Amino acid sequence: MQVFKFGGASVKDAKGVKNLINVLNKTGYKNTLVVVSAMGKTTNALEVVITDYFNNKSALQSSVQAVIKFHNAILLDLFDDEKHKAYKKVTVLFNELKSFLDTNKSPDYNFVYDQVIGFGELVSSVIISEYLNDVGLKNHWIDVREFIKTDNYYRSAKVHWEETQERITNNFNRTQLNITQGFIGSDSNNFTTTLGREGSDYTAAIFAYCLNAQSVTIWKDVPGVLNADPRYFENSQLLHRISYREAIELAFYGASVIHPKTLQPLQRKEIPLFVKSFLKPENAGTKVCKEAGLDPQIPCFIVKKNQVLISLSSLDFSYIVEDNLSEIFKLLHLYKMKVDVIQNSAISFSVCVDNMYQNLDKLLQHLKAKFKVTCNENVSLYTIRHYNNEAIGQLEKDKEVLLKQLTHETMQIVTK
Ligand code: ADP
Ligand code: ASP
Ligand code: MG
């Protein structure tokens, strides 16, 4: 078995879907599971639908319509005959979405989010499956929610591994080309759950683990894992081979090319992960595997934008020690802040966080009752793995550094 994952960028339009066929034809698709994301920026568009549902009902219809229109244009490019069953299947899904929005009674944002957002993957996988069938790549569409079972921690659900393994072992047909959705699963009441933004890579890894697959390949718009995100850094270089450990570190610090949860299941069964270009499928790309450390051994740069730096000191100049720290961390946990870096001295404590759940105001209010608080929003966190002086100099040039931290292998700065 091989598992392929095609992300939003690879299937952002009809041309992308056609190119997916080119990739499958070049690589072979026997005993293959193809996991697909929502097309292009559909997930972001569905986030607008959710925001409108809660905050701007008058705009809701038009935001839903924008998502439908985007997919209709792709359908028209792919299927000449408007009686093709792809149209019907997509309409059924969008009707299901509309009916949910009409009838839902739950005020729980995270629950609603997961019921709505998954339509991106459902529609995308239906269109791709139908198109592959049309051009002779006979395949089997599967609803991933019948396989990946999770808890009901909506928007960041945890996989129930035993049940998932059992379902995959008993019900998954390995001998055919299967197409399914990334990112989503279902809870014990069969409500849709999601594994966290960009979670489709992780879906591929879950299946690979449960199927003892030979490899996972994630097809990207870059040649592989580079030593820096080409959107923000010039002259980034391809990393040919990386160990699981190194890849986990890169993903952890925010190299968004691989979802951080993807690597651990693969590492456990020593299943290699390939990151390759969907435009040049014949190129080797990057191999993440057990042996290699980092080849070539060069500094790797990672940036996380839109972070928040919070600095605390005690109101009475007493030390910030265990009891204060445990209280601070309890609050960070309560408000679901993703902690990137911490630094403390005797009377101060700084923490750089990702305000993923928009709880910053509540957190600050709570902290201000106990501490003197300063807060810098919209800061950037830069990390260099395997830094050297030249790399640090290059990075710090022209930047106002608010916090800096060095360990043996990793250097981090928070900048304005
Ligand atoms: P998809 O969702 O289509 O699978 P993503 O957009 O999530 O793909 O990931 C690919 C993008 O990741 C690239 O276009 C690139 O800008 C970004 N990226 C961030 N860090 C790296 C890195 N170290 N190497 C390669 N790409 C990176
Ligand atoms: N479509 C989802 C997202 O954009 C999941 C994924 O692409 O991996 O976050
Ligand atoms: Mg993505």
Side-chain angles (χ1 to χ4, degrees):
M1 279 295 307
Q2 61 178 352
V3 181
F4 284 174
K5 180 257 171 169
F6 288 90
S10 68
V11 290
K12 66 177 195 299
D13 51 23
K15 200 168 143 217
V17 177
K18 290 176 183 168
N19 181 63
L20 186 150
I21 291 166
N22 175 42
V23 174
L24 292 180
N25 280 329
K26 282 203 172 130
T27 53
Y29 49 85
K30 253 189 164 174
N31 306 341
T32 301
L33 168 65
V34 173
V35 174
V36 298
S37 298
M39 294 175 149
K41 300 280 175 216
T42 298
T43 305
N44 293 354
L46 286 166
E47 284 188 343
V48 175
V49 169
I50 297 157
T51 308
D52 288 345
Y53 176 78
F54 281 104
N55 303 326
N56 191 6
K57 274 268 160 48
S58 64
L60 180 61
Q61 207 191 348
S62 84
S63 51
V64 172
Q65 216 45 47
V67 176
I68 296 177
K69 210 172 139 199
F70 170 75
H71 288 91
N72 275 344
I74 294 177
L75 283 168
L76 284 168
D77 281 343
L78 291 174
F79 306 98
D80 292 332
D81 179 3
E82 285 192 39
K83 291 208 176 60
H84 193 286
K85 60 180 187 299
Y87 290 89
K88 175 112 182 284
K89 288 188 175 181
V90 168
T91 305
V92 168
L93 286 169
F94 282 129
N95 285 344
E96 213 181 291
L97 167 64
K98 287 186 212 160
S99 142
F100 171 80
L101 293 170
D102 282 344
T103 57
N104 170 63
K105 297 271 182 300
S106 169
D108 178 352
Y109 180 89
N110 295 336
F111 169 78
V112 171
Y113 183 100
D114 278 6
Q115 306 323 300
V116 171
I117 209 88
F119 280 96
E121 270 65 18
L122 290 164
V123 170
S124 159
S125 62
V126 161
I127 295 176
I128 291 165
S129 167
E130 288 295 329
Y131 189 70
L132 292 186
N133 274 330
D134 258 21
V135 298
L137 275 69
K138 293 294 167 225
N139 68 88
H140 191 68
W141 181 89
I142 56 180
D143 187 332
V144 75
R145 295 169 296 183
E146 287 167 19
F147 292 89
I148 295 185
K149 297 304 287 186
T150 71
D151 66 9
N152 63 358
Y153 195 84
Y154 299 112
R155 291 183 70 195
S156 196
K158 280 213 175 63
V159 174
H160 285 161
W161 281 95
E162 267 179 35
E163 203 186 341
T164 300
Q165 174 73 68
E166 204 177 293
R167 284 169 176 247
I168 292 177
T169 306
N170 295 337
N171 304 324
F172 188 90
N173 183 342
R174 302 160 160 266
T175 61
Q176 56 193 11
L177 173 61
N178 290 290
I179 313 282
T180 200
Q181 311 79 42
F183 184 44
I184 60 178
S186 67
D187 65 14
S188 57
N189 291 318
N190 292 328
F191 286 115
T192 305
T193 57
T194 62
L195 307 171
R197 281 299 307 259
E198 304 294 333
S200 298
D201 294 352
Y202 183 40
T203 305
I206 296 166
F207 272 102
Y209 180 92
C210 294
L211 290 164
N212 292 315
Q214 239 160 33
S215 64
V216 173
T217 306
I218 52 181
W219 298 97
K220 296 276 174 182
D221 60 355
V222 281
V225 181
L226 307 168
N227 76 322
D229 186 338
R231 283 175 302 179
Y232 304 114
F233 297 87
E234 282 169 20
N235 307 323
S236 47
Q237 279 174 261
L238 178 65
L239 303 172
H240 301 291
R241 287 166 85 95
I242 322 175
S243 66
Y244 292 113
R245 191 199 150 214
E246 190 57 44
I248 287 168
E249 297 281 354
L250 292 174
F252 172 79
Y253 287 113
S256 60
V257 66
I258 308 175
H259 188 276
K261 285 185 187 162
T262 308
L263 292 149
Q264 259 140 357
L266 300 181
Q267 180 182 31
R268 206 166 305 156
K269 289 205 174 164
E270 294 183 16
I271 299 167
L273 170 70
F274 294 93
V275 182
K276 295 191 188 197
S277 159
F278 57 73
L279 295 173
K280 298 228 166 74
E282 56 285 353
N283 288 4
T286 301
K287 182 178 184 185
V288 181
C289 56
K290 188 180 164 206
E291 304 86 15
L294 183 65
D295 168 28
Q297 180 76 35
I298 48 176
C300 296
F301 298 80
I302 302 145
V303 59
K304 280 177 107 170
K305 304 251 173 189
N306 289 320
Q307 306 298 294
V308 183
L309 181 65
I310 303 169
S311 299
L312 309 173
S313 52
S314 51
L315 290 167
D316 57 1
F317 296 104
S318 62
Y319 290 147
I320 296 204
V321 287
E322 293 77 5
D323 55 344
N324 296 332
L325 287 173
S326 80
E327 195 178 345
I328 295 166
F329 273 98
K330 251 189 221 139
L331 293 175
L332 291 169
H333 181 62
L334 177 68
Y335 293 115
K336 297 186 176 172
M337 293 292 164
K338 164 104 189 35
V339 174
D340 296 320
V341 196
I342 55 170
Q343 196 166 67
N344 67 313
S345 71
I347 55 163
S348 77
F349 176 81
S350 295
V351 59
C352 182
V353 298
D354 198 335
N355 178 23
M356 275 164 69
Y357 287 81
Q358 312 305 326
N359 286 331
L360 183 64
D361 291 342
K362 282 186 248 167
L363 171 71
L364 291 179
Q365 212 177 350
H366 217 135
L367 286 170
K368 278 177 183 161
K370 292 271 165 83
F371 302 97
K372 182 168 171 286
V373 181
T374 55
C375 176
N376 272 291
E377 291 184 57
N378 283 323
V379 298
S380 298
L381 169 66
Y382 289 89
T383 303
I384 313 178
R385 291 275 301 158
H386 311 289
Y387 60 86
N388 56 33
N389 287 339
E390 192 193 335
I392 295 178
Q394 201 182 321
L395 188 64
E396 286 184 346
K397 208 171 115 219
D398 306 325
K399 292 193 183 77
E400 184 192 340
V401 177
L402 302 174
L403 181 153
K404 179 169 179 171
Q405 202 166 74
L406 278 98
T407 62
H408 177 54
E409 288 176 313
T410 308
M411 176 271 195
Q412 293 189 290
I413 54 173
V414 176
T415 71
K416 207 37 195 165

